[in-house]
């Protein structure tokens, strides 16, 4: 047995000396990789399997839980998931550890609520009680806010000023809330407004405008969520401005896309300036129809009278009693007619309410990237008027001009872009060339290694050394043999017969070679 081992050692040393540097490197790297894999498998088999105990803990509560685990001498592992600290323990201890910590009140949730008033503290002053109440109120609000699906963590700060004897010196209560939202979650405007109302109605003397809500990135969520009339009016004004800009942009894009279909892409510039009327107008119209007689009254009056008497001449004589000069007879007649007619007037009253958002004034400017004549200018102007709904009685204006555009900056940018694309293309080509060279080099190196292995095996066979060839190398040799031509296979077969005869009858072969040499 000892001789056999010494023989194996000798053969191994001889084989190692006959190997090339590449073959030795491959063998050493394979041995190191195998040894490292065995070490990792051994450590993995002996290491306990960890599971999650608590997740999304802040630093304070994670530290408390870690201290308890150290006291109980339980193995643990910490990991940071981005939304908080995760505490992991061996899987077999998860249930028992969680029950034990829960019985001791861990985790606490991070806040203290009104349960702090379950125990009466002797010797507590009004200031201490006020501070405890404020802390409990903040804790209860925090728990309520953290109940929202979109909120991961919340922190509430409330400032309650001291009561003052004078109303004009009394300061208002304020509140600030910081929210840590869940990943890919956002609060809607109605939700923020609801939070503002919730906090304002939970704190005595707190007005909604004194509540500030921010997120962990510093964005003020309650900036545009005012509840007073002034805030609502400002918000309405901003909405109207945004609506006007959107309408203006849509009208501008519509006209420009139409003109680009005529003069070409990038050959027309359109600018639209409009003013919308957001006043709510109620129009009342009353129309009168034909006159119709409702009543008529006619009054006619006629009178007639006859009279006879003495008539004296003017003067003194006629006024003396007993003096008569003659007699006279006369008659009178009068008539009176009155007509009253009352007419009924028919009327029609129409009440019309005009919704806000109508165009009050419109101005359009169009510039074409070429010189245009008067007819083309007139045609484009008519087309644009029809597209935008031009009305002259509204005071709308439209201007069309043709002049070449200045494209120097655009040409420079295009040249820079083309240069950058060319450089990038050259880099891609260089990378492909390098990759091709690596592939070719790898193929050539593989061929060289295969040939060296074949030579090594042939040399070992000729020297009478038994070489243990791995299965992979045997497969490679078989593949190499399949790739040989028929002539190469025939030469190899004859060579194998000669080698076999030399191994079986070495004396006869030596005598044959001496005879051939003597004949030459």
């Amino acid at each position: 047995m000892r001789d056999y081992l010494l023989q194996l050692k000798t053969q191994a040393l001889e084989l190692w000396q006959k190997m090339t540097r590449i073959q030795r490197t491959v063998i050493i790297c394979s041995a190191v990789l195998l040894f490292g894999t065995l070490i990792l498998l051994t450590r993995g088999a002996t290491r306990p399997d960890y599971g999650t105990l608590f997740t999304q803990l802040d630093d304070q509560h994670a530290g408390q839980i870690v201290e308890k685990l150290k006291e109980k001498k339980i193995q643990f592992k910490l990991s940071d998931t981005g939304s908080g600290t995760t505490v992991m323990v061996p899987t077999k201890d998860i249930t028992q550890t969680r029950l034990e910590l829960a019985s001791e009140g861990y985790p606490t949730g991070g806040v203290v609520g009104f349960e702090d008033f379950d125990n009466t503290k002797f010797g507590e002053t009004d200031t201490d009680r006020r501070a405890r109440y404020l802390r409990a109120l903040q804790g209860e609000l925090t728990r309520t806010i953290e109940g929202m699906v979109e909120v991961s963590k919340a922190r509430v700060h409330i400032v309650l000023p001291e009561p003052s004897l004078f109303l004009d010196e009394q300061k208002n209560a304020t509140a600030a809330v910081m929210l840590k939202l869940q990943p890919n979650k956002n609060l809607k405007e109605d939700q923020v407004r609801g939070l503002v109302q919730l906090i304002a109605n939970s704190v005595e003397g707190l007005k909604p405008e004194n509540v500030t809500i921010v997120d962990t990135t510093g964005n003020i969520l309650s900036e545009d969520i005012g509840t007073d009339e002034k805030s609502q009016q400002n918000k309405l004004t901003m909405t109207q401005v945004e609506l006007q800009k959107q309408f203006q942009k849509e009208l501008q894009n519509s006209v420009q896309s139409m003109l680009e279909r005529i003069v070409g892409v990038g050959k027309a510039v359109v600018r639209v300036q409009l003013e919308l009327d957001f006043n709510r107008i109620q129009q009342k119209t009353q129309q009168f129809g034909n006159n119709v007689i409702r009543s008529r009254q006619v009054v006619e009056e006629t009178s007639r009278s006859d009279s006879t008497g003495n008539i004296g001449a003017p003067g003194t004589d006629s006024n003396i009693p007993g003096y008569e000069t003659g007699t006279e007879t006369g008659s009178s007649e009068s008539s009176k007619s009155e007509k009253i007619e009352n007419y009924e007037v028919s009327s029609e009253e129409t009440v019309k309410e005009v919704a806000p958002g109508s165009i009050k004034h419109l101005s359009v400017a169009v510039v074409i990237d070429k010189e245009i004549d008067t007819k083309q200018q007139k045609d484009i102007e008519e087309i644009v008027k029809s597209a935008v709904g031009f009305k002259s009685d509204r005071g709308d204006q439209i201007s069309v001009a043709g002049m070449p555009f200045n494209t120097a900056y655009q040409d420079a940018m295009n040249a820079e872009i083309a240069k950058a694309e060319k450089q990038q293309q050259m880099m891609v080509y260089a990378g492909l060339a390098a990759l091709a060279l690596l592939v070719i080099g790898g193929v050539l190196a593989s061929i060289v290694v295969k040939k060296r292995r074949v030579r090594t095996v042939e040399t070992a066979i000729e020297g009478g050394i038994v070489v243990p060839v791995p299965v992979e190398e045997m497969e490679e040799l078989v593949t190499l043999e399949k790739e040989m031509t028929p002539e190469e296979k025939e030469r190899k077969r004859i060579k194998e017969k000669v080698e076999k005869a030399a191994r079986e009858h070495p004396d006869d072969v030596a005598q044959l070679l001496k005879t051939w040499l003597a004949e030459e």
Side-chain angles (χ1 to χ4, degrees):
M1 183 67 180
R2 183 179 179 182
D3 296 337
Y4 178 72
L5 294 177
L6 291 174
Q7 184 180 2
L8 289 178
K9 179 180 178 181
T10 304
Q11 292 179 354
L13 290 175
E14 292 178 355
L15 180 61
W16 178 262
Q17 293 174 357
K18 293 180 180 180
M19 288 183 181
T20 62
R21 183 179 298 176
I22 297 176
Q23 292 174 340
R24 294 177 181 177
T25 304
V26 171
I27 293 175
I28 294 174
C29 293
S30 300
V32 172
L33 180 61
L34 179 61
F35 185 71
T37 304
L38 291 176
I39 293 176
L40 292 178
L41 292 176
T42 304
R43 292 185 61 183
T46 57
R47 181 181 299 175
D49 187 14
Y50 283 90
T52 302
L53 181 65
F54 296 111
T55 61
Q56 297 183 357
L57 298 174
D58 55 16
D59 296 340
Q60 179 181 359
H61 303 111
Q64 295 175 356
I65 293 175
V66 167
E67 290 296 330
K68 287 293 179 181
L69 294 177
K70 289 181 179 179
E71 292 179 3
K72 299 178 180 296
K73 297 181 179 180
I74 299 175
Q75 297 181 3
F76 64 90
K77 186 171 64 173
L78 301 177
S79 63
D80 188 3
T81 60
S83 58
T85 302
T86 298
V87 181
M88 305 178 70
V89 297
T91 306
K92 59 184 181 64
D93 299 332
I94 290 179
T95 304
Q96 182 179 357
T97 305
R98 189 175 293 169
L99 292 176
E100 291 179 358
L101 293 177
S103 63
E104 298 178 10
Y106 294 94
T108 60
V111 293
V112 177
F114 284 115
E115 67 273 4
D116 191 32
F117 287 87
D118 294 340
N119 300 322
T120 303
K121 296 183 180 181
F122 295 98
E124 185 179 32
T125 62
D126 291 340
T127 302
D128 297 336
R129 185 175 181 82
R130 182 179 176 85
R132 288 178 60 199
Y133 171 76
L134 183 60
R135 182 186 180 190
L137 181 59
Q138 293 177 162
E140 293 294 334
L141 287 175
T142 299
R143 292 174 179 175
T144 304
I145 296 172
E146 288 180 349
M148 300 181 65
V149 178
E150 294 82 2
V151 178
S152 173
K153 294 290 182 181
R155 190 71 181 270
V156 180
H157 303 275
I158 300 175
V159 178
L160 294 178
E162 294 291 337
S164 177
L165 297 176
F166 303 99
L167 294 178
D168 55 351
E169 295 181 358
Q170 180 66 43
K171 297 181 179 179
N172 296 325
T174 58
V177 181
M178 175 172 283
L179 302 179
K180 183 179 182 180
L181 302 179
Q182 296 285 357
N184 301 324
K185 294 290 185 179
N186 291 313
L187 290 179
K188 298 180 181 179
E189 184 176 334
D190 295 337
Q191 292 175 312
V192 178
R193 184 179 293 107
L195 283 178
V196 171
Q197 293 294 336
L198 171 68
I199 298 170
N201 294 329
S202 301
V203 181
E204 182 181 1
L206 180 61
K207 298 180 181 180
E209 56 267 21
N210 293 332
V211 178
T212 302
I213 300 178
V214 299
D215 58 10
T216 53
T217 59
N219 297 321
I220 303 178
L221 304 180
S222 59
E223 185 175 7
D224 299 328
I225 313 296
T227 56
D228 55 346
E229 183 178 356
K230 183 177 180 181
S231 299
Q232 293 293 335
Q233 186 66 30
N234 293 335
K235 183 179 178 182
L236 179 60
T237 303
M238 294 300 297
T239 303
Q240 292 175 353
V241 172
E242 292 297 329
L243 180 62
Q244 181 169 310
K245 289 182 178 180
Q246 182 179 0
F247 189 18
Q248 180 176 301
K249 184 177 180 181
E250 291 179 356
L251 193 61
Q252 177 177 305
N253 293 337
S254 175
V255 176
Q256 184 160 353
S257 62
M258 178 187 66
L259 292 179
E260 286 181 347
R261 296 291 297 273
I262 300 174
V263 299
V265 178
K267 300 296 184 181
V269 176
V270 180
R271 292 294 180 266
V272 176
Q273 183 67 34
L274 58 85
E275 181 181 356
L276 297 180
D277 188 3
F278 293 99
N279 297 325
R280 187 179 296 274
I281 302 174
Q282 187 176 12
Q283 297 177 349
K284 184 176 181 181
T285 305
Q286 189 174 9
Q287 297 179 351
F288 297 94
N290 299 327
N291 297 333
V292 180
I293 296 177
R294 183 179 64 179
S295 62
R296 177 182 295 173
Q297 181 179 1
V298 179
V299 179
E300 293 183 357
E301 183 179 352
T302 303
S303 62
R304 181 183 179 87
S305 63
D306 296 331
S307 62
T308 303
N310 294 324
I311 303 175
T316 305
D317 295 340
S318 61
N319 294 323
I320 298 175
Y323 182 80
E324 296 181 357
T325 58
T327 60
E328 183 177 351
T329 301
S331 63
S332 64
E333 182 178 355
S334 63
S335 62
K336 180 181 179 182
S337 178
E338 183 178 354
K339 182 179 180 181
I340 300 175
E341 293 181 350
N342 295 324
Y343 291 89
E344 184 72 26
V345 180
S346 62
S347 63
E348 180 181 356
E349 185 176 356
T350 303
V351 178
K352 181 180 179 182
E353 185 173 353
V354 180
S358 60
I359 298 178
K360 188 176 181 180
H361 180 70
L362 176 66
S363 298
V364 183
V366 178
V367 181
I368 307 298
D369 186 17
K370 64 178 181 178
E371 297 290 343
I372 57 176
D373 54 18
T374 305
K375 183 178 182 305
Q376 292 176 339
Q377 181 179 0
K378 188 66 176 177
D379 294 340
I380 294 175
E381 184 175 341
E382 292 298 329
I383 292 173
V384 175
K385 283 183 178 180
S386 301
V388 300
F390 182 86
K391 292 183 180 179
S392 58
D393 56 350
R394 199 169 51 193
D396 295 349
Q397 297 177 351
I398 183 170
S399 176
V400 178
M403 60 186 68
F405 291 172
N406 185 0
T407 60
Y409 178 76
Q410 185 176 0
D411 294 340
M413 291 298 296
N414 292 334
E416 292 292 334
I417 293 174
K419 183 178 179 181
E421 291 179 351
K422 186 176 181 180
Q423 292 178 353
Q424 186 176 5
Q425 190 176 11
M426 293 298 294
M427 292 177 64
V428 172
Y429 288 160
L432 293 176
L435 181 61
L437 291 176
L438 289 176
V439 172
I440 294 173
V443 173
L444 293 176
S446 177
I447 294 173
V448 170
V449 170
K450 288 181 180 179
K451 289 183 177 181
R452 288 182 178 177
R453 288 178 180 176
V454 172
R455 292 175 182 174
T456 303
V457 174
E458 292 177 353
T459 304
I461 292 174
E462 293 176 357
I465 301 175
V466 179
V467 181
V469 182
V471 178
E472 293 80 2
E473 294 186 4
M474 291 297 298
E475 293 178 353
E476 291 179 359
L477 293 174
V478 173
T479 304
L480 185 61
E481 183 177 359
K482 290 181 179 180
E483 296 176 355
M484 292 181 178
T485 61
E487 293 79 6
E488 293 177 346
K489 291 182 179 179
E490 182 65 22
R491 287 197 297 269
K492 183 178 180 183
R493 186 178 63 82
I494 295 172
K495 182 179 179 181
E496 290 176 352
K497 288 183 178 181
V498 173
E499 291 174 352
K500 183 177 179 181
R503 287 194 299 270
E504 294 177 354
H505 307 284
D507 297 335
D508 297 339
V509 173
Q511 185 63 34
L512 179 61
L513 290 176
K514 290 179 180 180
T515 305
W516 286 351
L517 292 174
E519 291 178 356
E520 291 181 357

